[in-house]
Amino acid sequence: MNTKPLNSKSLRRARPAALVLAVVAASTVALVSCGDDNDSSGSSSSQVSTPDTASFSGMTPSPLKSAASSAVASARAAASAVASSASAAASSFEASVSSEVARASKDAQNELKDVEGQGNAMSDVAMTGKPRAQASGLLAVVVTITNKTDKKASYAVQVDFLDSSGKVVETRYVGAENLAPGAKAQPVAISAKPPEPVLTPKLAKAQRY
């Protein structure tokens, strides 16, 4: 094979070409490397592990569920006990008040049965109507009794309820015991009749004893 020796001029021409090829090769390698890195990165990011949903039941663990149920049951029992106690106290108070009113009414009626006329204490007694909304829709009057004497005294009062013709259709008795001089008492006389026909309360008797 016939080869010609390269002179210095030929070498100078070959060096720039080789340099260009080297630069191009290096750029190609760099691009390939970047592409591999990106692919590798994309591949790892897309392979995110997901939890095994089969291991989740969606139910509260048995011990916690039991404790929660027990707490709810205990709270309900406590609330029920409080409500029951309040109801019993209210019933007891209502019963004691009704009993006291009934006793006072009976005592007043007994004191007035032998009284002639209107009695000796009409000037010590006054009446004021009570709104029906505050008396469950019933006709009620507040009887204000004031001891205007200088000694302790008891009082018996009779309230009549009249219809439009002036006829007495109902009578109630109230009273106050052992009022000190200048002291007041305000028992309430309540009609048990229905709202219609409308009745008119009247102070019929008042006796001091």
Side-chain angles (χ1 to χ4, degrees), residues 30-116:
L31 288 174
V32 171
S33 174
C34 289
D36 290 343
D37 289 344
N38 288 338
D39 290 346
S40 174
S41 171
S43 170
S44 81
S45 64
S46 64
Q47 295 178 358
V48 177
S49 61
T50 57
D52 181 7
T53 55
S55 64
F56 296 94
S57 66
M59 302 289 289
T60 305
S62 181
L64 290 178
K65 184 176 181 180
S66 177
S69 298
S70 177
V72 170
S74 177
R76 286 178 178 170
S80 178
V82 170
S84 178
S85 177
S87 177
S91 297
S92 176
F93 175 74
E94 184 175 341
S96 66
V97 170
S98 298
S99 176
E100 180 63 24
V101 168
R103 186 192 64 78
S105 176
K106 185 175 181 180
D107 289 347
Q109 184 175 3
N110 288 334
E111 288 295 330
L112 290 170
K113 66 181 180 180
D114 295 326
V115 172
E116 297 290 338

